[in-house]
């Protein structure tokens, strides 16, 4: 599935929860979502920013029923970097 199609599929029921389960953690799921958005943006980038990462984490948490509280962008970025996932500060 192309990234654009995958992003559109997030509108379906339980898609965010499935993403979270597949990724194994909120930081990893947020990174996948943020990176997909970066790559498909009008001015593409391969590495999401901490702001994009936190926004993706908030979206996933909200749609997966985890509430509105998510770690700061710095904490999410540190956790992603520990997994080898690059984030721009």
């Amino acid at each position: 599935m192309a990234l654009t199609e995958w992003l559109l599929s997030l509108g379906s029921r339980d898609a965010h929860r499935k993403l979270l389960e597949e990724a194994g953690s909120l930081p990893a799921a947020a990174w996948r979502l943020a990176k997909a958005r970066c790559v498909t943006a009008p001015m593409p980038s391969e590495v999401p920013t901490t702001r994009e990462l936190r926004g993706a984490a908030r979206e996933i948490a909200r749609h997966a029923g985890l509430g509105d509280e998510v770690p700061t962008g710095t904490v999410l970025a540190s956790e992603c970097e520990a997994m080898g996932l690059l984030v721009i500060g």
Side-chain angles (χ1 to χ4, degrees), residues 3 5-6 23 49 52 54 66 70-71 75-76 80 86:
L3 281 179
E5 292 171 352
W6 180 76
T49 65
E52 293 164 331
R54 188 154 194 240
L66 303 178
V70 297
V75 170
L76 289 166
C80 286
L86 299 178

Side-chain angles (χ1 to χ4, degrees), residues 30 34 49-59 68-74 76:
T49 65
T50 55
R51 184 176 180 177
E52 293 164 331
L53 185 64
R54 188 154 194 240
R58 282 183 172 153
E59 177 183 329
D68 294 327
E69 295 297 318
V70 297
T72 66
T74 303
L76 289 166

Side-chain angles (χ1 to χ4, degrees), residues 2-49:
L3 281 179
T4 304
E5 292 171 352
W6 180 76
L7 287 168
L8 290 172
S9 76
L10 289 175
S12 65
R13 185 177 179 183
D14 295 328
H16 288 85
R17 182 180 308 277
K18 183 177 178 184
L19 168 60
L20 184 58
E21 290 171 4
E22 289 174 357
S25 70
L26 181 59
W31 187 86
R32 287 183 186 182
L33 177 54
K35 181 172 180 179
R37 288 195 171 133
C38 287
V39 170
T40 59
M43 294 185 66
S45 168
E46 289 291 321
V47 182
T49 65

